[in-house]
Amino acid sequence: MEVSVIGKCQAKIAGADFFDRELGFFNSKVDSKILLSKICFMRGSRCERSRIRLSTKSVQMEPVQSQNVDVGRRSKSLEGVKLYVGLPLDAVSPCNAGNHSRAIAAGLKALKLLGVEGVELPVWWGIVENKTMGKYEWSGYLALAEMVRNADLKLHVSFCFHASKQPRIPLPEWVSKIGESKPNVYFTDRCRQQYKDCLSLSVDNLPVLNGKTPIQVYREFCESFKSSFSKFFDCTISGISMSLGPDGELRYPSQRQLESHGVGEFQCYDENMLSILKQHAKASGNPLYGLGGPHDAPSYKETPNSNNFFKDLDGSWESHYGDFFLSWYSAELIAHGDRLLSLASSVFHNTKASIHGKVPLMHSWYKTRSHPSELTAGYYNTSNRDGYEAVAEMFARNSSKMILPGMDLSDQLHPQELLSSPESLIAQIKSASRKHGVILSGQNSSNLEAPRNFDRIKKNLEGESVELFTYQRMGAYFFSPEHFPSFAEFVRSVHQLELHSDDLPVDGEEEDTAETPCTSPVSEAQMQAA
């Protein structure tokens, strides 16, 4: 299917009132006009195409059919909210070459015309420092940064010190080799299964990486980036996100299976975590508490009542031991976040880039008293204890902004039996952030099966605490006729743009033609995954 995007824009040359934009769709087989550029992402092994053509000059105007978007007058509380779009996770290939480069360049022009502020770029440790410690290859990312600057957009960089499953981007090869001989550098569950997509927080300050600590290695990576991208910090790079754990989030890898609705498991069984726990228990006068994690906790896929620990009535989580363990477990996670955000703040303190860190939205079982999904992920948040106060205080201490995902989720979309409440959890995190003066940056979920809920996003953007929203993620689905009109209308509704008389096309305008060929095949899921 080939679809073209057409529209009208107005601009004051060398002026500030830049883009007013209305987008529409038409069937290119019916219209004889040839537009300026074409965005083309390959989809699937049979190279099915999803194309979008965009023009900076209007050849035809058709109204956008609003889908699940309220286009009424924008609330004043949305004024100043900056909109970003995430670039594909595999925008740079494992061999450090650009993927979909010409398609991305055309897409950047489209986003600029819509009035989007900038884009978010994942920068993978496993690509930049893959073969040898201390040897960095930035060429693919430098080319993308140049492309973003040429499009007159801002760039938010996300450092990914973790691996990705889809698309598959592993940790650096030299780190994986160390992990083969030293498996305790990884998080471990009670069945001694390692999680190999990021390093355990227990080794942050241990010289396990060829005589250096992970914190030292992360710092050198950041310093190399700062030096290599120095020319982009004045006007292009607006923010830096630090990877804080699995999928970049500040949490333990408590959920090992995708789409699992169980409570998850505690991740405290590598030798270094057990050693820290043992020392802490001894220092507190309870040496028997340091033998391991809770023996009566359910397994990954089980429900809270499958065992005794998370039960609402007389669960072990409310015992003296339960409080001891959960306090220690969450404190170790917060200390890890503190180390990494402090590192980023010290490296980039003399630049204009703001520092960000991402927290998870572990909303399953939120309506129970124990909140087990949050507890296993490292958040000591229960019906009688606010676990996000200490997290927000840590972000504030490091002058860092908090990224909150899942801002498109609503309670009604989740099965009642899971006792889930993303809306309540988002409200709680926003409250803790406001209390400690932490500015929020929102993201939507990247689940392709979830319905777009732009009204829910707009509602969550209300309030002074949310400064920026990043929509995830550019790719074949993002630019598809099933999705792009709704996104364009969402951007317009947030900005509340007005049409002007000079938006009308000029008679006799002609278009230049430039076609972007499709790049190497990549699945829609790869383009969209978070």
Side-chain angles (χ1 to χ4, degrees), residues 219-424:
R219 176 177 291 276
E220 291 172 2
F221 182 97
C222 292
E223 289 172 343
S224 175
F225 176 87
K226 181 183 178 182
S227 174
S228 300
F229 289 77
S230 58
K231 68 177 183 179
F232 296 101
F233 276 98
D234 285 343
C235 59
T236 302
I237 296 177
S238 59
I240 302 288
S241 290
M242 286 294 287
S243 175
L244 303 178
D247 299 321
E249 298 176 339
L250 181 63
R251 63 177 174 87
Y252 292 96
S254 55
Q255 299 285 355
R256 296 290 183 90
Q257 292 85 19
L258 293 176
E259 303 302 323
S260 172
H261 298 303
V263 299
E265 286 194 17
F266 293 109
Q267 307 291 312
C268 59
Y269 293 92
D270 65 78
E271 288 183 3
N272 300 303
M273 284 292 283
L274 288 174
S275 176
I276 297 171
L277 175 59
K278 183 178 180 180
Q279 294 174 24
H280 182 68
K282 185 177 180 181
S284 68
N286 298 285
L288 294 179
Y289 286 179
L291 299 179
H295 69 280
D296 57 349
S299 60
Y300 288 109
K301 295 183 179 181
E302 292 183 316
T303 63
N305 291 322
S306 299
N307 214 324
N308 190 61
F309 192 80
F310 296 120
K311 286 184 176 180
D312 273 357
L313 296 177
D314 299 322
S316 302
W317 62 277
E318 289 192 283
S319 67
H320 186 270
Y321 164 77
D323 179 65
F324 163 86
F325 176 81
L326 295 171
S327 297
W328 168 80
Y329 191 66
S330 63
E332 290 298 311
L333 181 68
I334 293 172
H336 168 71
D338 194 23
R339 288 189 287 268
L340 287 175
L341 292 179
S342 175
L343 181 162
S345 295
S346 65
V347 172
F348 298 105
H349 73 280
N350 58 348
T351 72
K352 296 179 180 179
S354 56
I355 304 302
H356 300 243
K358 188 176 181 180
V359 298
L361 196 70
M362 310 300 294
H363 54 80
S364 294
W365 310 110
Y366 186 85
K367 294 180 181 178
T368 66
R369 293 186 61 241
S370 62
H371 296 208
S373 294
E374 292 167 90
L375 297 185
T376 56
Y379 288 78
Y380 192 4
N381 188 58
T382 66
S383 60
N384 50 25
R385 188 182 192 277
D386 191 334
Y388 294 94
E389 289 275 353
V391 176
E393 192 278 329
M394 182 270 291
F395 272 81
R397 185 166 60 250
N398 290 289
S399 301
S400 300
K401 300 176 181 180
M402 183 186 295
I403 300 173
L404 178 59
M407 298 190 78
D408 56 331
L409 301 181
S410 60
D411 291 2
Q412 64 183 11
L413 298 178
H414 296 83
Q416 293 294 317
E417 60 268 21
L418 293 181
L419 300 176
S420 174
S421 183
E423 294 178 25
S424 299

Side-chain angles (χ1 to χ4, degrees), residues 202-216:
S202 66
V203 299
D204 278 354
N205 291 314
L206 297 180
V208 295
L209 300 180
N210 295 335
K212 292 185 177 181
T213 69
I215 293 295
Q216 289 174 317

Side-chain angles (χ1 to χ4, degrees), residues 125-134 136 160-163 170-186 195-200 203 208-210 212-214 217-218 221:
W125 187 25
I127 291 177
V128 175
E129 196 181 0
N130 184 30
K131 298 293 184 180
T132 307
M133 183 174 71
Y136 310 101
C160 302
F161 296 120
H162 57 281
L171 292 179
E173 185 177 306
W174 63 273
V175 173
S176 297
K177 288 180 179 178
I178 292 173
E180 291 174 3
S181 59
K182 299 178 181 178
N184 282 295
V185 300
Y186 299 123
Y195 179 84
K196 298 183 178 181
D197 284 348
C198 69
L199 298 178
S200 170
V203 299
V208 295
L209 300 180
N210 295 335
K212 292 185 177 181
T213 69
V217 172
Y218 300 152
F221 182 97

